[in-house]
């Protein structure tokens, strides 16, 4: 075996050496920021750079064009540095003053900088490549002095005012003019290097330009703009001198050859020189800091020679490009053949090695197979044991969850039976002071016991909350304001100022709204505990400099936290001193929630000065995995719904079937009827004691008994527990709300579990109110009274549907309970389908589960009309109300269930004596 390993190592070393004979060269990234790139001179500069870079395949060029905008160039430079790992910057500043601070900062950040064409104000750069613009200005002045023989009037068209090239060329020109007394600068125009601007200025100043002996434009493009404007104004023979002398169609050299320009000063682009200088800097070779390119005057005499020379250079460059392409192709072929050879040699060597290894492995394989079989058997046994233990853990966890749920429920029911009677006794006016003091002491201790139960449930909730994050995009302002809204009554009661400010540009955060609401509520609850009256609590949102994190701060000016407690404040069950009563898990729970969101929570505090808790949360959703994002069709998590099955406070007393019991539960025909459903005898008796003096009561202790009594009674309101012996009160709620005849009956849930999920599920099932145990008697009485009053108001509002003038009459005399139920069912059914044009008497009979003949007889007996007449009159009454709402007649006819507007108008006139249009005009004046 040792020999085989030695041979393998030798062959691997051989293959590595054979495949690694080529040394990888270092890769560089050069960024080039051009001030403006839409003219031929700068396009030539870029082309020269790319041509020179063809000799350096290991260099990548990033190009940015600022389009003549200094602020845009600054932004592009910042983006190049922040978004890319650049090794060197080549920059042609648009203007010296605005660009200098930015270029200086890059130079001081140890990024090599090569400035080309135009300089900065400070001179902080590694190298400059370009012509001496002062020398160009001076040469232009000397040339004009020569042409004019020392006397004449000249004009200039300068470049962009803030660019170093314009400033320096003007300086050089002025040096010559200062010594040439016979030459006068009669006109000085300020262009921006573009042909269009020069053309516009020349059009405005054409007469003045025509009187000049010579015109100097600071580049050929502006010179051609001046020449075009003068020709259009009839001035054909002005002598115009430019700067650039660039080869190519419609450029300076061609214009000189064709006689359009008088002369131009050669201004080399320096693209190739800039790249050579950059490469020397990157490779740490010697280089010249100021690379001054030579210039010369190009006129009619030497323009043709320059054009020929440029064409020859272009031809040679094309030949070089072809040769480089051929060399690159040959290099690819060579590398491909070298790779194949290496693979072939390696394959042969490995074949020999693997052949020897295979022989050895075959001999020892049968031994290893036996060992593997033994190990696999052991692993399978361990896996089975782990699965069994995992199932046991899950069963234990589920049993623990059920235990906590049941225990908390059983705690809260006796607490309800303690706190509610105490509240009733405290309301008595004839109590002695000693008795009232004893009752208040009992109430305080019962409330403390209630708080201990809450802490008990909180601890269990936190242990079971190890869940997957379910984050979604949440509007942060409305989210925080919603949480603060639940604390406003407490703030008013304690006279504490509660405010919220968002100083960030962030409007949405990816959070789990359920968990984050608990975290924020915990922090606010702590702030209220430790803030005195007249104090201040502020929720503040800010963002960091880069905008990738927001800081959600909860600040107060309370008693603060001691320095010795700061390091332990987020530990489980730790309680600072002094502290109000609590479980000591709130802040540990906050820390866990924030870390689930990939954030951090910190605290700063000073005793007697207040505290500041800060949640540092990432913006966007890039930090979230797919499992941590909420599914679009995901409903409220079942693990926290508790299904409202705590509403036990509304259960009923044992069934009272005797005449005495029924008389005791019946108060009067005018009183409203309440059905109370609860399996706890004491709760039923307590609720009976509370409501017996005001309402008729129907009591039930199970779901079956409640359904049986609902078949013979029609209560005005139902108070129901959820966890009943033979089913769920939630099922009864859904049955009632899904039934047309009973959907209007208010349904109140009482629950021993007071969580947001439980409340939400109850309300989503269309419960009219959800009250937790223990409840306040006055609160419960107010809820019941408000619900009954609102139903009475609705009934009064819609009573006009059966008014005496225009609708059918109900027979005189008292109606039986059965007749009342029939009429209520009939009204609700017809009202629900009133807009259905296909509604027939057969449909109504089927819905009421009676025959058509029975329906006809009942209608005649109770309504004194046929069903068809009843339906038409109900539709006309609805149409009347819709007219009052100002709707169009055609739309009213459709919503009231008439097949056509004509039929509706005829029926309306027959019933009310006037057309719908006349009725509308009479009431609404339109």
């Amino acid at each position: 075996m040792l020999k085989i390993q030695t041979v393998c190592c030798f062959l691997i070393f051989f293959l590595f050496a054979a495949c690694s004979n080529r040394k990888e060269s270092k890769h560089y990234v050069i960024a080039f920021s051009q001030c403006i790139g839409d003219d031929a001179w700068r396009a030539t500069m870029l082309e020269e750079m790319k041509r020179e870079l063809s000799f350096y395949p290991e260099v990548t060029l990033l190009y940015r064009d600022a389009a003549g905008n200094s602020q845009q160039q600054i932004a592009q430079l910042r983006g190049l540095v922040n978004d890319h790992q650049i090794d060197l910057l080549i920059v042609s500043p648009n203007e010296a003053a605005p660009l200098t601070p930015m270029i200086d900062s890059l130079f001081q950040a140890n990024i090599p900088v090569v400035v080309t064409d135009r300089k900065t104000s400070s001179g902080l750069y590694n190298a400059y490549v370009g012509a001496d613009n002062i020398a160009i200005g001076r040469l232009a002045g000397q040339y004009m002095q020569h042409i004019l023989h020392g006397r004449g009037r000249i004009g200039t068209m300068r470049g962009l005012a803030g660019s170093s090239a314009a400033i320096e060329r003007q300086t050089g020109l002025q040096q010559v003019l200062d010594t040439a007394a016979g030459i006068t600068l009669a006109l000085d125009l300020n262009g921006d290097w573009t042909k269009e601007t020069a053309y516009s200025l020349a059009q405005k100043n054409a007469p003045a330009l025509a009187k000049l002996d010579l015109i100097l434009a600071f580049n050929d493009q502006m010179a051609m703009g001046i020449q075009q404007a003068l020709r259009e104004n009839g001035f054909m023979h002005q002598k115009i001198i430019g700067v650039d002398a660039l080869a190519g169609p419609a450029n300076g050299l061609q214009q000189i050859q064709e006689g359009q320009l008088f002369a131009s000063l050669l201004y080399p682009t320096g693209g190739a020189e800039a790249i050579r200088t950059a490469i020397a800097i990157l490779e740490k070779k010697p280089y010249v800091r100021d690379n001054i390119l030579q210039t010369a005057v190009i006129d009619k005499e030497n323009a043709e020679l320059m054009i020929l020379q440029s064409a020859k250079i272009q031809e040679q460059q094309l030949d070089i490009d072809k040769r480089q392409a051929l060399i690159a192709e040959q290099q690819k072929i060579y590398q491909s053949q070298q790779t194949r050879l290496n693979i072939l040699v390696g394959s042969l060597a490995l074949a020999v090695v693997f052949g020897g290894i295979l022989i050895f492995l075959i001999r020892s394989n049968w031994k290893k197979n036996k060992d593997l079989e033994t190990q696999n058997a052991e692993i399978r046994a361990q896996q089975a044991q782990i699965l069994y233990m995992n199932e046991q853990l899950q069963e234990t966890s589920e049993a623990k969850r059920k235990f906590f749920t049941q225990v908390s429920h059983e705690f809260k029911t006796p607490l309800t039976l303690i706190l509610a009677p105490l509240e009733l006794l405290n309301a008595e006016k004839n109590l002695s002071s000693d008795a009232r003091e004893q009752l208040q002491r009992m109430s305080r201790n019962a409330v403390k016991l209630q708080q201990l139960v809450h802490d008990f449930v909180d601890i269990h909730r936190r242990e079971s909350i190890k869940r997957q994050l379910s984050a979604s995009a949440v509007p942060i302002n409305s989210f925080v304001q919603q949480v603060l809204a639940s604390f406003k009554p407490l703030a008013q009661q304690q006279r504490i100022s509660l405010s919220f400010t968002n100083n960030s540009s962030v409007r949405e955060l990816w959070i789990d709204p359920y968990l984050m609401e608990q975290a924020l509520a915990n922090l606010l609850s702590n702030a209220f505990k430790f803030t005195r009256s007249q104090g201040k609590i502020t929720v503040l949102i800010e963002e960091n400099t880069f905008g990738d994190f927001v800081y959600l701060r909860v600040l107060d000016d309370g008693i603060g936290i001691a320095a010795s407690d700061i390091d332990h404040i987020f530990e489980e069950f730790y309680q600072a001193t002094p502290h109000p009563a609590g479980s000591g898990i709130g802040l540990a729970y906050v820390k866990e929630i924030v870390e689930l969101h990939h954030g951090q929570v910190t605290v700063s505090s000073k005793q007697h000065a207040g505290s500041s808790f800060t949640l540092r949360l990432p913006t966007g959703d890039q930090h979230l995995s797919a499992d941590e994002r909420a599914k679009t069709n995901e409903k409220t998590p079942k693990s926290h719904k508790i299904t409202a099955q705590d509403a036990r406070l509304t259960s009923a007393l044992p069934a009272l079937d005797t005449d005495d019991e029924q008389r005791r539960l019946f108060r009067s025909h005018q009183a409203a009827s309440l059905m109370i459903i609860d399996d706890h005898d004491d709760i039923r008796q307590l609720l009976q004691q509370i409501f017996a003096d005001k309402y008729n009561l129907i009591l039930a202790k199970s779901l079956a008994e409640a359904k049986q009594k609902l078949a013979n009674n029609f209560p005005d309101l139902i108070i129901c527990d959820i966890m009943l012996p033979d089913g769920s009160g939630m099922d009864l709620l859904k049955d009632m709300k899904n039934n047309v005849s009973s959907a209007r009956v208010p349904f109140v849930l009482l629950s021993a579990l007071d969580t947001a999920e439980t409340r939400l599920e109850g309300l989503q099932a269309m419960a009219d109110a959800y009250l937790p145990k223990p409840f306040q008697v006055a609160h419960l009485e107010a809820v019941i009274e408000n619900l009954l009053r609102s139903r009475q108001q609705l009934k009064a509002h819609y009573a006009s549907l059966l008014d005496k003038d225009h609708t059918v009459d109900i027979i005189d005399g008292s109606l039986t309970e059965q007749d009342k139920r029939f009429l209520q069912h009939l009204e609700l059914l017809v009202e629900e389908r009133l807009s259905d044009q296909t509604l027939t008497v057969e449909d109504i009979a089927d819905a009421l589960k009676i025959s058509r003949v029975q329906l006809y007889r009942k209608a005649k007996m109770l309504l004194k009309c046929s069903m068809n007449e009843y339906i038409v009159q109900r539709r006309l009454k609805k149409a009347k109300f819709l007219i009052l709402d100002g709707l169009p007649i055609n739309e009213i006819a459709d919503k009231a269930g008439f097949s056509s507007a004509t039929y509706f108008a005829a029926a309306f006139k027959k019933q009310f004596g006037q057309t719908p249009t006349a009725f509308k005009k009479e009431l609404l004046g339109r």
Side-chain angles (χ1 to χ4, degrees), residues 138 141-142 145 150 172-183:
R138 190 183 301 117
Q142 293 170 352
Q145 185 178 17
L173 176 63
Q174 193 62 45
Q175 290 175 359
V176 175
L177 295 180
D178 289 343
T179 61
I183 297 179

Side-chain angles (χ1 to χ4, degrees), residues 33 35 66 69-77 91-94 99:
S33 174
C35 59
N69 188 313
S70 298
Q71 294 305 317
Q72 182 174 339
Q73 189 170 23
I74 292 172
Q76 288 176 347
L77 289 172
V91 58
S92 177
N94 186 58
L99 270 296

Side-chain angles (χ1 to χ4, degrees), residues 571-829:
E571 295 177 4
E572 290 184 344
F573 307 109
Y574 182 82
Q575 294 177 324
T577 303
H579 62 85
S583 60
I585 66 166
L587 292 178
Y589 186 34
V590 171
K591 182 174 183 287
E592 184 174 332
I593 290 174
V594 174
E595 289 177 349
L596 268 177
H597 286 80
H598 305 276
Q600 296 174 326
V601 57
T602 56
V603 60
S604 60
S605 182
K606 184 178 180 182
Q607 281 192 298
H608 311 298
S611 304
S612 172
F613 286 84
T614 301
L615 308 186
R616 182 177 182 265
L617 300 170
T619 59
D621 61 346
Q622 299 301 315
H623 58 286
L624 298 172
S625 65
D627 293 336
E628 291 176 326
R629 304 173 194 228
K631 307 298 184 296
T632 55
N633 59 350
E634 189 178 75
K635 297 184 179 179
T636 308
K638 286 287 181 187
S639 60
H640 295 280
K641 267 195 172 180
I642 320 182
T643 62
Q645 293 178 345
D646 343 68
R648 298 217 166 172
L649 271 174
T650 0
S651 320
L653 278 164
L656 301 174
D657 296 328
T658 66
D659 292 341
D660 292 340
E661 288 170 334
Q662 292 295 343
R663 281 194 295 272
R664 186 153 49 90
L665 297 176
F666 180 78
R667 179 171 177 77
S668 71
H669 288 288
Q670 288 75 29
S673 298
L674 268 61
M675 172 171 273
I676 299 173
I677 311 168
D678 200 299
D679 61 337
H680 199 287
D681 296 342
D682 291 336
I683 291 292
R684 291 198 308 277
Q685 292 169 6
L686 172 64
L687 293 175
Q688 178 182 341
Q689 179 184 356
I690 293 172
F691 296 116
D693 293 338
K694 294 183 179 180
Y695 307 107
N696 301 322
L697 300 181
I698 306 167
L699 305 180
K701 62 181 178 181
S702 67
L703 193 61
E705 184 180 355
K707 290 182 177 179
Q708 179 184 357
K709 291 192 174 184
L710 282 171
N712 301 317
N713 299 275
F714 201 77
D716 296 295
L717 186 142
I718 297 175
I719 303 174
C720 185
D721 190 7
I722 295 180
M723 292 194 295
L724 299 171
D726 56 347
S728 170
M730 190 68 69
D731 296 334
L732 179 61
L733 168 63
K734 293 176 181 177
D735 290 343
M736 295 284 290
K737 294 300 182 181
N738 290 330
N739 191 320
V740 175
S741 61
S742 59
R744 67 176 182 82
V745 179
F747 206 106
V748 178
L749 294 174
L750 294 178
S751 173
L753 292 176
D754 183 16
T755 65
E757 294 84 358
T758 310
R759 290 173 179 270
L760 179 62
E761 184 172 0
L763 295 176
Q764 285 178 338
M766 296 182 67
D768 294 88
Y770 189 102
L771 301 178
K773 296 179 183 178
F775 58 83
Q776 292 183 346
V777 175
H779 185 196
L780 177 60
E781 289 179 325
V783 170
I784 301 303
E785 185 176 347
N786 288 343
L787 286 173
L788 290 172
R789 184 184 295 118
S790 67
R791 288 307 190 274
Q792 288 295 330
Q793 290 172 346
L794 286 173
K795 184 176 180 181
H797 177 72
Y798 290 107
S800 58
L801 293 173
L802 297 173
D803 65 18
K804 299 295 183 181
D805 296 330
H806 302 298
T807 59
V808 298
D809 294 329
I810 297 176
I811 62 172
D812 297 332
S814 60
L815 298 175
T816 65
E817 186 69 24
Q818 212 168 14
D819 290 338
K820 289 181 181 179
R821 287 171 62 85
F822 171 78
L823 288 175
Q824 288 171 339
H825 289 191
L826 179 62
E827 290 173 12
L828 290 171
L829 180 62

Side-chain angles (χ1 to χ4, degrees), residues 16-64:
F16 178 79
C19 297
S20 305
N21 57 359
R22 184 184 175 191
K23 182 180 179 181
E24 292 292 332
S25 59
K26 182 175 176 58
H27 183 79
Y28 297 108
V29 177
I30 296 177
F32 176 37
S33 174
Q34 180 65 282
C35 59
I36 183 170
D38 61 353
D39 62 67
W41 189 86
R42 298 192 181 278
T44 303
M45 174 190 285
L46 180 61
E47 186 62 32
E48 287 184 4
M49 286 185 174
K50 292 180 179 179
R51 189 179 301 136
E52 185 66 22
L53 283 172
S54 64
F55 297 104
Y56 303 96
E58 71 278 6
V59 177
T60 298
L61 180 68
L62 301 177
Y63 176 69
R64 297 292 184 271

Side-chain angles (χ1 to χ4, degrees), residues 230-247:
L230 290 176
R231 283 181 176 273
E232 290 177 0
N233 283 275
F235 305 112
M236 310 297 290
H237 304 292
Q238 290 302 117
K239 295 179 180 178
I240 304 173
I241 301 174
V243 177
D244 284 348
L246 194 66

Side-chain angles (χ1 to χ4, degrees), residues 163-463:
S163 64
S164 63
I167 296 170
E168 291 178 354
R169 289 176 189 177
Q170 183 67 24
T171 301
L173 176 63
Q174 193 62 45
Q175 290 175 359
V176 175
L177 295 180
D178 289 343
T179 61
I183 297 179
T184 303
L185 180 58
L187 182 61
D188 185 18
L189 300 177
N190 196 358
D192 61 356
W193 301 112
T194 63
K195 180 178 180 179
E196 292 75 15
T197 302
Y199 171 81
S200 177
L201 290 172
Q203 283 282 12
K204 295 177 182 179
N205 297 275
L209 289 169
K211 296 177 182 180
L212 301 176
D213 298 307
L214 267 179
I215 301 171
L216 172 63
F218 279 20
N219 70 1
D220 288 345
Q221 294 297 318
M222 291 192 295
M224 287 186 279
I226 296 170
Q227 188 267 348
Q228 179 183 349
L230 290 176
R231 283 181 176 273
E232 290 177 0
N233 283 275
F235 305 112
M236 310 297 290
H237 304 292
Q238 290 302 117
K239 295 179 180 178
I240 304 173
I241 301 174
V243 177
D244 284 348
L246 194 66
N251 288 327
L253 282 178
Q254 183 177 349
Q255 295 294 316
I256 295 171
Q257 185 184 29
E258 294 175 357
Q260 304 295 329
L261 297 182
F262 184 75
S264 180
L265 280 75
L266 178 64
Y267 188 61
T269 63
E273 289 80 0
I275 294 298
R276 294 190 197 109
T277 303
I279 296 299
I281 294 173
L282 291 174
E283 294 181 350
K284 302 187 184 307
K285 294 180 180 179
Y287 65 92
V288 178
R289 185 177 189 274
D290 293 314
N291 297 269
I292 306 302
L293 305 177
Q294 298 301 315
T295 185
V297 176
I298 308 298
D299 54 16
K300 191 76 170 179
E301 296 178 358
N302 55 1
E304 185 173 354
L305 178 62
M306 292 293 292
I307 291 173
L308 292 174
Q309 182 180 1
S310 176
K312 187 63 177 178
I313 292 173
Q314 188 69 25
E315 182 182 344
Q316 291 175 347
Q317 184 59 46
L318 291 175
D319 185 57
I320 292 172
D321 292 342
K322 291 179 182 178
R323 293 179 183 275
Q324 284 183 336
L326 182 61
I327 292 172
E329 185 65 29
Q330 293 297 322
Q331 184 68 24
K332 288 181 182 178
I333 295 172
Y334 168 76
Q335 290 178 355
S336 176
Q337 292 176 346
Q338 182 67 36
T339 301
R340 291 177 184 176
L341 179 61
N342 290 339
I343 292 173
L344 179 60
V345 173
S347 299
L348 291 174
L350 289 175
V352 174
V353 174
F354 289 148
I357 293 174
L358 185 61
I359 294 173
F360 175 80
L361 291 177
I362 290 173
R363 295 178 59 187
S364 60
N365 189 52
W366 66 274
K367 293 182 180 180
K368 290 184 179 181
N369 284 340
K370 288 185 178 181
D371 294 338
L372 288 174
E373 288 176 1
T374 303
Q375 292 176 3
N376 286 337
E378 293 176 356
I379 290 172
R380 283 193 293 270
Q382 291 174 357
Q383 287 177 339
Q385 184 178 4
I386 290 171
L387 290 174
Y388 175 72
M389 293 173 64
N390 186 48
E391 290 176 359
Q392 286 186 322
L393 286 173
Q394 290 179 350
E395 291 175 359
T396 303
S397 176
E398 181 64 19
K400 179 181 176 183
R401 186 190 67 78
K402 292 180 179 179
F403 170 75
F404 273 99
T405 302
Q406 294 295 334
V407 167
S408 64
H409 182 277
E410 295 306 322
F411 271 135
K412 288 188 175 182
T413 299
L415 276 172
T416 301
L417 296 171
I418 294 172
L419 287 170
L422 284 175
E423 184 180 351
L424 292 173
L425 289 173
N426 272 317
E428 295 291 337
K429 297 181 179 179
N430 56 353
L431 290 176
S432 65
S433 60
D434 290 341
R436 190 174 300 281
E437 183 179 351
Q438 293 297 333
L439 287 174
Q440 290 174 351
R441 184 176 295 110
M442 293 167 66
S443 297
R444 286 196 300 272
N445 283 279
V447 171
K448 287 183 179 178
L449 181 59
Q450 179 185 0
Q451 182 61 44
L452 290 174
V453 172
H454 285 316
D455 293 343
F456 183 67
V457 174
D458 285 344
I459 294 172
H460 164 61
R461 185 188 304 165
R462 182 174 179 272
E463 290 177 351

Side-chain angles (χ1 to χ4, degrees), residues 804-913:
K804 299 295 183 181
D805 296 330
H806 302 298
T807 59
V808 298
D809 294 329
I810 297 176
I811 62 172
D812 297 332
S814 60
L815 298 175
T816 65
E817 186 69 24
Q818 212 168 14
D819 290 338
K820 289 181 181 179
R821 287 171 62 85
F822 171 78
L823 288 175
Q824 288 171 339
H825 289 191
L826 179 62
E827 290 173 12
L828 290 171
L829 180 62
V830 173
E831 184 65 27
E832 184 183 51
R833 297 190 58 185
L834 207 56
S835 60
D836 184 0
Q837 298 176 6
T838 64
L839 177 65
T840 64
V841 177
E842 287 79 4
D843 295 335
I844 298 174
D846 291 341
L848 293 174
K849 295 181 175 56
I850 61 177
S851 68
R852 188 178 188 279
V853 175
Q854 286 177 309
L855 178 61
Y856 176 80
R857 289 174 180 172
K858 276 187 171 287
K860 279 294 185 182
M861 180 179 67
L862 298 176
L863 302 174
K864 293 184 179 179
C865 70
S866 69
M867 278 305 303
N868 285 326
E869 292 172 341
Y870 176 71
I871 293 171
V872 170
Q873 293 187 25
R874 288 294 297 270
R875 282 176 168 163
L876 288 172
K877 177 56 66 177
K878 181 174 181 179
K880 193 174 181 181
F881 283 108
L882 292 175
I883 290 174
L884 292 175
D885 289 339
L887 297 178
I889 299 301
N890 289 338
E891 185 177 349
I892 293 172
D894 183 63
K895 289 190 174 183
F898 289 95
S899 57
S900 68
T902 304
Y903 172 47
F904 163 60
F908 191 93
K909 185 174 182 180
K910 180 180 179 182
Q911 179 71 23
F912 300 112

